[in-house]
Coordinates of all heavy atoms in Angstrom, one line a residue:
L28 N -14.5 12.6 6.5 CA -14.0 12.5 7.9 C -13.3 13.8 8.3 O -12.5 14.3 7.5 CB -13.1 11.3 8.0 CG -13.7 9.9 7.9 CD1 -12.5 8.9 7.9 CD2 -14.6 9.6 9.0
D29 N -13.6 14.3 9.5 CA -12.9 15.4 10.0 C -11.4 15.1 10.2 O -11.1 14.1 10.8 CB -13.5 15.8 11.4 CG -13.0 17.1 11.9 OD1 -12.7 18.0 11.1 OD2 -12.8 17.3 13.1
G30 N -10.6 15.9 9.6 CA -9.1 15.7 9.7 C -8.5 15.1 8.5 O -7.3 15.2 8.4
V31 N -9.3 14.6 7.6 CA -8.8 14.1 6.3 C -8.5 15.2 5.4 O -9.4 16.0 5.1 CB -9.7 13.0 5.7 CG1 -9.2 12.6 4.3 CG2 -9.7 11.8 6.6
F47 N -3.8 13.0 6.4 CA -4.8 13.3 7.4 C -4.1 13.9 8.6 O -2.9 13.8 8.8 CB -5.5 12.0 7.9 CG -4.6 11.0 8.5 CD1 -4.5 10.8 9.9 CD2 -3.9 10.2 7.7 CE1 -3.7 9.9 10.4 CE2 -3.0 9.2 8.2 CZ -2.9 9.1 9.6
N48 N -4.9 14.6 9.5 CA -4.4 15.2 10.7 C -4.6 14.2 11.8 O -5.7 14.0 12.2 CB -5.1 16.5 11.0 CG -4.6 17.2 12.2 OD1 -4.1 16.6 13.1 ND2 -4.9 18.5 12.3
E49 N -3.5 13.7 12.3 CA -3.6 12.6 13.3 C -4.2 13.1 14.7 O -4.6 12.3 15.5 CB -2.3 11.9 13.5 CG -1.2 12.8 14.1 CD 0.2 12.1 14.2 OE1 0.2 10.9 14.0 OE2 1.1 12.8 14.6
E50 N -4.3 14.4 14.8 CA -4.9 14.9 16.0 C -6.4 14.9 16.0 O -7.1 15.0 17.0 CB -4.5 16.3 16.3 CG -3.0 16.4 16.7 CD -2.5 17.9 16.8 OE1 -3.3 18.8 16.7 OE2 -1.3 18.0 17.0
K51 N -7.0 14.7 14.7 CA -8.4 14.7 14.5 C -9.0 13.4 14.1 O -10.2 13.1 14.4 CB -8.8 15.7 13.4 CG -8.5 17.2 13.9 CD -9.0 18.1 12.8 CE -8.8 19.6 13.2 NZ -9.3 20.5 12.2
V52 N -8.2 12.5 13.5 CA -8.7 11.2 13.0 C -7.6 10.2 13.0 O -6.4 10.6 12.8 CB -9.3 11.4 11.6 CG1 -8.2 11.7 10.5 CG2 -10.1 10.1 11.2
T53 N -7.9 8.9 13.3 CA -6.9 7.9 13.3 C -6.9 7.0 12.1 O -7.9 7.0 11.4 CB -7.1 7.0 14.6 OG1 -8.3 6.3 14.4 CG2 -7.2 7.8 15.9
V54 N -5.8 6.3 11.9 CA -5.8 5.4 10.7 C -6.9 4.3 10.9 O -7.5 3.9 9.9 CB -4.4 4.7 10.7 CG1 -4.4 3.6 9.6 CG2 -3.3 5.7 10.4
E56 N -9.8 4.7 12.2 CA -11.1 5.3 11.8 C -11.2 5.3 10.3 O -12.3 5.1 9.7 CB -11.3 6.7 12.4 CG -11.5 6.7 13.9 CD -11.5 8.1 14.5 OE1 -10.5 8.8 14.3 OE2 -12.5 8.5 15.1
I57 N -10.1 5.6 9.6 CA -10.1 5.7 8.2 C -10.4 4.3 7.6 O -11.2 4.1 6.7 CB -8.8 6.2 7.7 CG1 -8.7 7.7 8.1 CG2 -8.7 6.1 6.1 CD1 -7.3 8.3 7.9

Side-chain angles (χ1 to χ4, degrees):
L28 292 172
D29 187 35
V31 171
F47 64 100
N48 181 335
E49 64 184 352
E50 292 174 5
K51 293 185 178 180
V52 67
T53 66
V54 173
E56 289 173 304
I57 293 168

